[in-house]
Amino acid sequence: MSEPLAKQAYAKIIEMILAGGLKPGDVLQEAKLGEELAMSRTPVREAIKRIEAEGLAVQEGRFLKVRTLTSGEVNEIFFLRSVIEGYCARHATTVAPAILDGLERRVTALMTEGPGEEDEQRRVDDDFHLTLARSTSNQMVVRTISDLRRRTCMFDHSLVPARYLKGCEEHLEIIAALRAKNGEQAGKLMSRHVLNARDAIIGRLEINERRAVR
């Protein structure tokens, strides 16, 4: 199976869910979606597995059905992230300068070269946030952040493009604060960064809701 095909199938199905083409309660059928997307069942199957893992589909009896992420859920997820990740950033002044340098190089590369085709933007984002989380040496915190991020990771640069460069700039500001050993500033910047992402996602959801009622 070609991974790029599974990625394409995932992106198209997510767009269908967010745009209302697939509504809550609709069954995710490999064969039907494969026909609609002009793809074989294998990449569609992999895309559906990923969508289920991210919480946008639930098993009901023999069927896997669509569920949507509400604005209320987004608020709850990002409230928790702002608190927990702000705490992590305040305590991440122990992260080695070489690791910060590596993160900075990768973020800067994203800003100059773009997100690329192989999910580099997602990998950099994951590594940035989880590096700071791991600095607490609290595995429950790391797992919680990872789980909360997974629930909204479909909102990448393709769905909220206005956040792409801004998010990178905010990462660099947090790195600068950590390099200066200013944990309090890093925590404030991280909480703001997370809440800015929340606002962009809710804005996208509201656009989809307005389209759905037309």
Side-chain angles (χ1 to χ4, degrees):
M1 182 207 60
S2 169
E3 185 173 333
L5 281 179
K7 182 180 175 183
Q8 290 173 31
Y10 168 85
K12 289 177 180 178
I13 296 169
I14 287 293
E15 185 62 41
M16 292 167 71
I17 291 172
L18 294 177
L22 284 169
K23 295 181 170 55
D26 284 352
V27 177
L28 290 174
Q29 297 175 302
E30 289 176 18
K32 183 179 178 182
L33 286 169
E35 289 178 10
E36 291 183 23
L37 301 177
M39 292 183 177
S40 69
R41 293 176 66 162
T42 303
V44 172
R45 182 182 306 121
E46 292 302 310
I48 289 173
K49 286 180 182 176
R50 180 174 168 184
I51 288 166
E52 181 181 16
E54 291 172 359
L56 286 184
V58 290
Q59 194 75 38
E60 293 186 11
R62 296 187 297 111
F63 302 107
L64 190 64
K65 297 185 177 181
V66 173
R67 69 176 294 275
T68 55
L69 194 66
T70 67
S71 295
E73 287 177 285
V74 170
N75 266 314
E76 291 172 357
I77 289 168
F78 280 89
F79 168 75
L80 288 173
R81 282 191 57 194
S82 71
V83 173
I84 299 172
E85 294 202 55
Y87 166 84
C88 292
R90 285 195 297 275
H91 290 78
T93 53
T94 57
V95 175
I99 293 175
L100 294 178
D101 290 344
L103 289 172
E104 183 176 48
R105 281 194 299 270
R106 293 173 70 192
V107 172
T108 302
L110 287 177
M111 296 175 76
T112 56
E113 300 169 14
E117 298 297 325
E118 301 299 327
D119 276 345
E120 176 63 7
Q121 185 264 340
R122 186 186 295 248
R123 286 193 291 268
V124 173
D125 200 49
D126 282 342
D127 288 348
F128 175 82
H129 286 269
L130 294 180
T131 293
L132 271 57
R134 293 187 189 105
S135 73
T136 65
S137 299
N138 185 322
Q139 292 307 306
M140 182 62 73
V141 164
V142 175
R143 286 195 296 271
T144 299
I145 290 172
S146 182
D147 179 62
L148 291 172
R149 286 176 51 76
R150 177 178 56 80
R151 294 170 186 265
T152 57
C153 67
M154 72 289 297
F155 292 98
D156 61 7
H157 60 88
S158 64
L159 291 180
V160 280
R163 278 296 299 160
Y164 179 69
L165 285 177
K166 186 60 180 172
C168 289
E169 291 168 0
E170 290 166 1
H171 282 173
L172 294 179
E173 290 172 356
I174 294 165
I175 290 170
L178 292 175
R179 189 174 280 119
K181 302 297 183 183
N182 190 338
E184 193 61 33
Q185 177 69 358
K188 290 177 181 177
L189 289 170
M190 176 62 84
S191 294
R192 188 183 308 155
H193 169 66
V194 169
L195 295 178
N196 285 342
R198 175 204 62 188
D199 293 344
I201 291 171
I202 288 177
R204 174 60 197 255
L205 290 175
E206 288 174 346
I207 289 171
N208 291 330
E209 288 167 3
R210 287 196 295 271
R211 287 174 179 168
V213 298
R214 286 178 184 173

